[in-house]
Amino acid sequence: MSTTRFPARDLAHVAVFAALIIALGLPGSINIGISGVPITLQSMGVMMAGALLGPRKGVLAVLTVIALGLVGLPVLAGGRTALVSLSSPTAGFLIGWIPTAFVIGWLTAKMLPKYRIIAGIGINLLGGVVVLYAFGIVGMMVRGHMSFVAAWSANAAFIPLDAAKAVVTALVASQVHRAYPALLRDSVISSNKTVVAN
Ligand SMILES: O=C(O)CCCC[C@@H]1SC[C@@H]2NC(=O)N[C@@H]21
């Protein structure tokens, strides 16, 4: 029989990246247009959680932030809680952070042990733009009562900064995976095999 335990080190990784996502909300947010969806650095924290920690720990870091927001802590940019976000046009983006971290983490894990920056940028764009915007657009349509075209058009304003976030994340991930090759590999191993907590 195989039991999977969650080592203290993995728990620390999850906590640190949850804190990083929250910290990236501290500079605040910039509202553009009338969509009600702000520009925020927090989505870069989500990309980094996936790209550096992998799918399992990356998703857990995002879930930690959302859980804290659901109990009323102001963990989102602008001091908002997840409850406020989920009842606003940003709802789809907040939910979309989960598959974003998963897709980026899963594809990054497949690429390793050699992290290639161009492929990393592509993966980050796939997760942090294609997947995230798909969820975001649905949220804007449902919560913001926008048409598909209006929601899609509103997202165009985010693309330049989100592309820059994808590049920065890939550059950071490249350096981190070179310096700490076990960071993401450990999460793959610990999700498949019995591990002993350290
Ligand atoms: O605070 C929230 O409730 C979530 C905000 C989501 C903002 C989205 S993430 C993708 C896109 N890029 C940005 O800078 N803002 C939007």
Side-chain angles (χ1 to χ4, degrees):
M1 192 180 75
S2 163
T3 56
T4 301
R5 295 175 64 187
F6 203 76
R9 186 186 46 203
D10 283 0
L11 202 57
H13 292 160
V14 168
V16 165
F17 275 78
L20 174 71
I21 295 170
I22 294 169
L24 285 172
L26 294 179
S29 56
I30 301 170
N31 279 300
I32 46 162
I34 54 163
S35 69
V37 178
I39 291 181
T40 163
L41 286 175
Q42 287 192 298
S43 55
M44 186 167 72
V46 175
M47 288 185 199
M48 288 208 185
L52 272 66
L53 297 184
R56 184 176 184 236
K57 290 188 288 182
V59 166
L60 283 172
V62 170
L63 287 175
T64 302
V65 176
I66 294 175
L68 292 173
L70 283 175
V71 297
L73 293 179
V75 292
L76 300 179
R80 294 175 321 130
T81 69
L83 297 168
V84 170
S85 175
L86 290 174
S87 58
S88 80
T90 62
F93 289 105
L94 187 64
I95 294 168
W97 283 358
I98 300 166
T100 294
F102 180 83
V103 167
I104 292 175
W106 188 69
L107 291 174
T108 302
K110 289 235 167 271
M111 170 173 52
L112 291 175
K114 179 156 175 53
Y115 191 93
R116 293 181 303 282
I117 290 178
I118 297 298
I121 293 172
I123 289 169
N124 298 340
L125 287 173
L126 179 67
V129 174
V130 178
V131 172
L132 183 55
Y133 285 24
F135 279 81
I137 286 170
V138 172
M140 291 166 86
M141 292 168 68
V142 174
R143 289 285 188 223
H145 307 292
M146 299 173 76
S147 69
F148 172 78
V149 173
W152 195 91
S153 310
N155 275 282
F158 300 127
I159 292 176
L161 185 60
D162 286 346
K165 295 172 193 170
V167 172
V168 171
T169 299
L171 293 172
V172 171
S174 162
Q175 295 302 313
V176 171
H177 288 308
R178 186 180 305 169
Y180 303 101
L183 184 65
L184 196 152
R185 195 171 65 225
D186 277 356
S187 82
V188 175
I189 291 168
S190 60
S191 64
N192 291 329
K193 293 184 180 170
T194 300
V195 290
V196 177
N198 48 3

